[in-house]
Amino acid sequence: MDAVPSYLEQLYAAGLLLPTGVDGLYGRSRMFEEVVEHIATRLGRWGRERKAELLRFPPAMQRDRLVRAGYFKSFPQLAGTVHAFCGNDRDHRAMLRCMEVGDDAWLDQQEPTDLALTPAACYPVYPIVAQRGRLPASGLLFDVRSWCFRREPSLDPTRMQLFQMQEYVRIGSPVQVLEFRDGWMEYGRHLFATLDLPCEVDVANDPFFGRSGKVLADSQREQKFKFELLVPVTNAEKPTAVMSFNYHGDHFGQAWNIRTYDGDVAHTACIGFGLERIALALFRHHGLDTRAWPADVSATLGQSA
Ligand code: AMP
Ligand code: ZN
């Protein structure tokens, strides 16, 4: 008997995702991309209604800014830094000779640049806010979206190395940012109900690196700093986080010296949406062809049937 094709094999067979030779890196078809854009537009409505400031950045950022944000302390295993050839003509000839004989030694000539790949859409926002001076009394609300890199190759299509994250970022007093985060935990559930997707919200932790990381993860859970909205996608028993609700306390406020209207260190929170993960959840539950999706789901997404 033939083995049941994995979800990734089904997505390849339907032409929704295209293999690139790298686990966790996929090409996408028009149908897939249209679903992603419809999700992004639907999510964007909440921010438009609240006059969130929309900011977009390229998927790379100043490496030093990522260092200052503490990313390499917490997640060195996920970070991607950009390297480039910086040699002269002689170095170039040596490089080509190595390549001809398949010798990876040419990589020794790749030198670090000042760039790192953006690991979450909100990182570029904090230093920019800090440069603006004190926050207004009502705090700030941003709508950001970026391609994000995380070095976590996998055959699970929901775990990509490059994916698109949309986020709402709230910066202000502890009361302001917690109200935002907790409100979204309710609204997120409602949103997924309107997409006919089963979901649960649970306390979560980030994948902090190493032995000291275990302590950080435990404390993050204990303090209920992170929640995730989970939907069964590739594994019915182990649902996938499609959305996260993160309270950072004063971590970014301290790192960038962001001050509230009253001069206190600002607190921050962000709501992250994995656009591909939400699309993959929809394809999993409603079928691999959007033309056969339930009318109410298509209507919620604003798709014409
Ligand atoms: P996080 O900052 O880890 O909470 O990520 C925010 C959201 O991005 C998650 O809830 C996921 O939906 C999505 N996400 C995180 N990592 C990946 C990945 N490797 N592949 C695809 N989506 C991801
Ligand atoms: Zn964030």
Side-chain angles (χ1 to χ4, degrees):
M1 205 176 81
D2 287 343
V4 180
S6 70
Y7 188 35
L8 180 58
E9 285 163 346
Q10 293 175 39
L11 293 159
Y12 282 158
L16 287 164
L17 294 184
L18 292 90
T20 65
V22 180
D23 293 340
L25 206 66
Y26 307 104
R28 301 106 196 283
S29 71
R30 172 186 290 275
M31 188 178 280
F32 190 89
E33 210 51 27
E34 281 178 355
V35 170
V36 164
E37 289 311 319
H38 279 126
I39 295 165
T41 305
R42 175 66 192 87
L43 294 173
R45 203 192 298 163
W46 185 91
R48 266 198 310 281
E49 285 164 2
R50 287 159 185 80
K51 302 206 167 16
E53 181 176 343
L54 186 144
L55 292 177
R56 296 289 181 264
F57 299 93
M61 55 185 286
Q62 192 186 53
R63 192 190 56 216
D64 285 348
R65 289 192 172 184
L66 205 54
V67 171
R68 183 158 165 190
Y71 197 79
F72 292 89
K73 258 192 208 155
S74 298
F75 314 110
Q77 78 282 20
L78 299 178
T81 50
V82 178
H83 290 58
F85 172 74
C86 303
N88 56 24
D89 274 326
R90 205 180 42 163
D91 300 327
H92 184 218
R93 281 194 296 276
M95 171 176 153
L96 294 179
R97 273 198 303 276
C98 280
M99 281 177 161
E100 251 166 49
V101 296
D103 181 353
D104 280 349
W106 69 271
L107 286 166
D108 298 345
Q109 291 178 343
Q110 295 282 303
E111 290 180 23
T113 67
D114 55 352
L115 297 177
L117 299 176
T118 306
C122 64
Y123 279 96
V125 174
Y126 308 112
I128 285 178
V129 169
Q131 281 164 5
R132 290 184 183 172
R134 285 192 183 188
L135 302 176
S138 54
L140 292 172
L141 174 67
F142 292 94
D143 165 329
V144 288
R145 173 179 171 178
S146 179
W147 279 90
C148 294
F149 175 83
R150 293 185 186 176
R151 180 70 183 153
E152 43 184 1
S154 168
L155 285 174
D156 177 348
T158 64
R159 190 168 294 282
M160 299 181 171
Q161 296 200 61
L162 274 159
F163 56 95
Q164 295 175 83
M165 194 190 294
Q166 186 150 326
E167 288 194 52
Y168 285 116
V169 185
R170 184 87 170 99
I171 307 181
S173 69
V175 170
Q176 286 169 335
V177 305
L178 278 169
E179 196 178 76
F180 158 80
R181 204 261 320 241
D182 296 346
W184 254 104
M185 281 168 43
E186 263 322 295
Y187 187 61
R189 277 199 196 92
H190 159 76
L191 207 60
F192 278 76
T194 65
L195 294 171
D196 285 358
L197 291 175
C199 73
E200 52 177 315
V201 172
D202 203 359
V203 69
N205 63 268
D206 288 310
F208 294 101
F209 182 75
R211 240 181 312 152
S212 53
K214 169 94 177 70
V215 180
L216 293 174
D218 288 347
S219 130
Q220 192 184 28
R221 277 181 174 268
E222 223 162 85
Q223 298 182 81
K224 295 191 163 33
F225 270 22
K226 185 179 188 84
F227 287 87
E228 287 176 334
L229 188 143
L230 307 149
V231 178
V233 185
T234 24
N235 185 333
E237 275 96 59
K238 265 190 76 197
T240 304
V242 294
M243 202 174 152
S244 69
F245 313 87
N246 308 288
Y247 173 49
H248 315 122
D250 66 0
H251 174 81
F252 291 112
Q254 290 279 8
W256 296 105
N257 193 24
I258 305 172
R259 297 281 162 170
T260 63
Y261 189 73
D262 296 326
D264 300 326
V265 176
H267 284 226
T268 62
C270 68
I271 313 298
F273 312 92
L275 294 179
E276 289 86 355
R277 283 194 181 176
I278 300 172
L280 289 168
L282 287 163
F283 282 114
R284 182 61 155 186
H285 287 269
H286 303 316
L288 297 178
D289 187 338
T290 52
R291 287 165 296 191
W293 282 8
D296 58 329
V297 173
S298 298
T300 299
L301 284 174
Q303 300 185 124
S304 47

